[in-house]
Amino acid sequence: MKLYYAPGACSLSPHIALREAGLPFTMEKVDLRAKATETGADYKAINPRGYVPALQLEDGRVVAEGPIIVQMIADLAPEKALAPGLGTAERYELMDWLAFISTELHKGFSPFFNPAVNDEAKASFKDRLMLRLAYISDALGDKPYLMGDEFSVADGYLFTVLRWARGFKFELGSNLDAYFDRVSARPAVKAALEAEGLLAAA
């Protein structure tokens, strides 16, 4: 498998999942502005959507949406318990978290990466995001991870988004700060950050 990624982008989530799963894979960095990979390939020819992540499978097929990619990775290494079994109530809970992170958090950060969005608008978007983060903090409670005692692919995705929140100086509160540090300390997470040149900025 080959993961197409941009350092620190949402592709960090499947990158973490791959390392947690212990699956063999290669990586190829993408210049998102030029839509070209580090080997000079036309990225739009690989993934017509033009953004990361994209995971190219052994048969050449490409999967291009993060919440689907991480579940596929988890299902390829069931012994790692990165996702509950298909068809279980717990799997639907995981899918619920992945959808929430994707739609209510991930997309909510888009204005912060857009220099055309003014500070007043960003303040409004931040207020909305802070409400969502407060909800997650309450739902997390005293559990080590979103799904309970065990790390799941939803945690890798949430960690990725919390990195952005910290980068934009959001005050996460003690509970999410402790959660962030707990996820940061995982060897697979450290390895993914190091591979993307992000370890010092974790």
Side-chain angles (χ1 to χ4, degrees), residues 44-197:
K44 291 292 288 288
I46 298 163
N47 176 14
R49 298 173 191 182
Y51 50 72
V52 293
L55 186 67
Q56 189 169 48
L57 307 180
E58 297 300 329
D59 63 6
R61 288 181 298 147
V62 173
V63 185
E65 292 297 328
I68 304 304
I69 293 171
V70 295
Q71 291 182 79
M72 179 182 293
I73 291 166
D75 290 338
L76 288 172
E79 72 282 1
K80 299 293 185 177
L82 295 172
L86 288 166
T88 64
E90 292 79 11
R91 181 57 168 261
Y92 293 119
E93 180 185 354
L94 175 79
M95 293 165 70
D96 184 84
W97 275 122
L98 290 170
F100 181 84
I101 296 165
S102 178
T103 59
E104 298 297 324
L105 291 179
H106 180 171
K107 289 303 180 185
F109 275 97
S110 296
F112 293 88
F113 293 103
N114 186 346
V117 178
N118 64 40
D119 289 343
E120 183 179 356
K122 285 179 181 177
S124 176
F125 285 115
K126 181 176 181 178
D127 289 343
R128 178 182 173 88
L129 283 167
M130 290 303 294
L131 290 173
R132 302 298 185 266
L133 289 168
Y135 165 76
I136 286 189
S137 181
D138 287 345
L140 185 64
D142 60 0
K143 297 180 300 193
Y145 299 110
L146 283 174
M147 297 288 291
D149 291 335
E150 301 299 325
F151 179 92
S152 76
V153 291
D155 294 296
Y157 195 6
L158 179 56
F159 172 79
T160 297
V161 175
L162 291 179
R163 280 192 78 256
W164 303 340
R166 281 192 159 194
F168 290 115
K169 309 301 182 187
F170 283 30
E171 294 292 334
L172 299 179
S174 59
N175 198 30
L176 285 181
D177 279 338
Y179 169 84
F180 183 89
D181 292 343
R182 189 158 50 248
V183 177
S184 297
R186 296 181 65 85
V189 175
K190 285 184 176 180
L193 292 169
E194 183 175 18
E196 295 193 19

Side-chain angles (χ1 to χ4, degrees), residues 4-73:
Y4 291 92
Y5 78 103
C10 56
S11 48
L12 178 61
S13 169
H15 186 181
I16 289 170
L18 284 162
R19 291 185 183 274
E20 288 280 355
L23 295 171
F25 70 100
T26 59
M27 298 167 60
E28 188 157 350
K29 187 160 62 174
V30 178
D31 182 331
L32 293 173
R33 288 190 177 86
K35 305 301 181 189
T37 75
E38 61 186 331
T39 62
D42 175 7
Y43 186 59
K44 291 292 288 288
I46 298 163
N47 176 14
R49 298 173 191 182
Y51 50 72
V52 293
L55 186 67
Q56 189 169 48
L57 307 180
E58 297 300 329
D59 63 6
R61 288 181 298 147
V62 173
V63 185
E65 292 297 328
I68 304 304
I69 293 171
V70 295
Q71 291 182 79
M72 179 182 293
I73 291 166

